[in-house]
Amino acid sequence: MKERKVKIAVLVSGGGTNLQALLDAEKSGKLKSGKISLVVSNNENAYALTRAKNAEVPTRVITKAGFGDGFETELIKAIKGAGAELIVLAGFMSILSERFTKEFENRIINVHPALIPSFCGKGYYGLKVHEAALSYGVKVTGATVHFVNEIPDGGKIIMQKAVEVLPSDTPESLQKRVMREAEWQILPAACELVCEKILTGEKL
Ligand code: GAR
């Protein structure tokens, strides 16, 4: 009998290196309890869409410009239509409303490029997070995978990994190291953990 897998919808906005890490993990068997079944982008030019197409994963573009107030309703429709049970925010640059997060309680995870509760919350995304870490002068930063609730970056932490900050770092070099050493490792690992728990019915 074919083993059951949790269908995953990945929400993206940009380059999609975290999506790539998930696709690679599925291919290599590191992500074995879940199947990436849909990739949704809120940006039609996101390179993440090309990565999804290369892996033969169905894609949708749902933009705020295109759907206005119906943006989240359309997102929910697409996710439910794909039968997804887990939503992964992989560089998704839009804050979701409480209505959305309540609809999928304990079923949305996000990767954030810092050690929460540092450098997180509204306004802290992408390169801005690393600029803030460097200007504060921390010697260690990292990445966090957490559940998503109505508070930006405020849901329960699932996994974290620390990364050293070097004296020569620029925001760009730090971003790359955090991605390579932390995000691309813990996002697939956390995803597998959550999918396993969904399959076994274990408490999340
Ligand atoms: C990643 O560093 C991700 O952690 C961050 O944006 C980048 C997306 O890169 N997300 C946030 O800042 C969300 N608050 P990617 O498109 O190559 O995965």
Side-chain angles (χ1 to χ4, degrees):
M1 206 177 78
K2 223 173 133 200
E3 54 188 325
R4 188 171 108 71
K5 293 193 183 213
V6 173
K7 286 187 182 164
I8 303 168
V10 185
L11 274 47
V12 297
S13 301
T17 64
N18 279 289
L19 167 67
Q20 191 64 56
L22 290 168
L23 293 166
D24 293 348
E26 190 183 329
K27 201 166 178 195
S28 72
K30 277 189 196 147
L31 172 58
K32 58 179 192 313
S33 307
K35 177 180 166 50
I36 301 161
S37 304
L38 177 69
V39 169
V40 183
S41 176
N42 64 347
N43 163 17
E44 62 184 349
N45 298 316
Y47 185 68
L49 289 167
T50 305
R51 296 180 188 272
K53 283 174 190 151
N54 288 343
E56 293 172 3
V57 174
T59 59
R60 273 291 309 274
V61 174
I62 300 175
T63 63
K64 279 193 175 152
F67 288 94
D69 287 347
F71 173 68
E72 286 192 353
T73 305
E74 194 61 27
L75 264 185
I76 294 171
K77 226 166 50 179
I79 290 161
K80 291 197 167 167
E85 291 169 87
L86 178 66
I87 300 165
V88 179
L89 309 185
F92 186 63
M93 301 302 179
S94 176
I95 292 179
L96 296 161
S97 74
E98 184 164 359
R99 174 184 155 237
F100 187 97
T101 58
K102 284 257 155 62
E103 180 85 34
F104 300 102
E105 214 165 355
N106 284 333
R107 288 291 185 276
I108 315 172
I109 69 173
N110 177 49
V111 61
H112 182 74
L115 293 173
I116 290 175
S118 289
F119 314 116
C120 64
K122 206 162 180 265
Y124 286 99
Y125 57 88
L127 216 48
K128 287 183 195 289
V129 177
H130 305 290
E131 284 164 2
L134 285 178
S135 84
Y136 199 96
V138 291
K139 303 298 174 208
V140 174
T141 184
T144 304
V145 179
H146 62 94
F147 284 111
V148 174
N149 63 11
E150 68 283 2
I151 304 157
D153 299 322
K156 195 173 150 200
I157 290 172
I158 303 166
M159 245 178 230
Q160 289 188 303
K161 191 158 187 270
V163 172
E164 195 185 352
V165 179
L166 302 179
S168 59
D169 265 327
T170 61
E172 290 78 9
S173 68
L174 186 57
Q175 180 181 49
K176 278 206 188 95
R177 188 168 338 98
V178 169
M179 282 177 157
R180 199 176 51 237
E181 292 182 11
E183 296 184 51
W184 302 342
Q185 316 294 327
I186 64 171
L187 183 61
C191 206
E192 173 59 22
L193 188 78
V194 173
C195 287
E196 273 173 22
K197 289 194 176 184
I198 292 175
L199 289 179
T200 57
E202 212 179 308
K203 199 172 167 293
L204 290 164

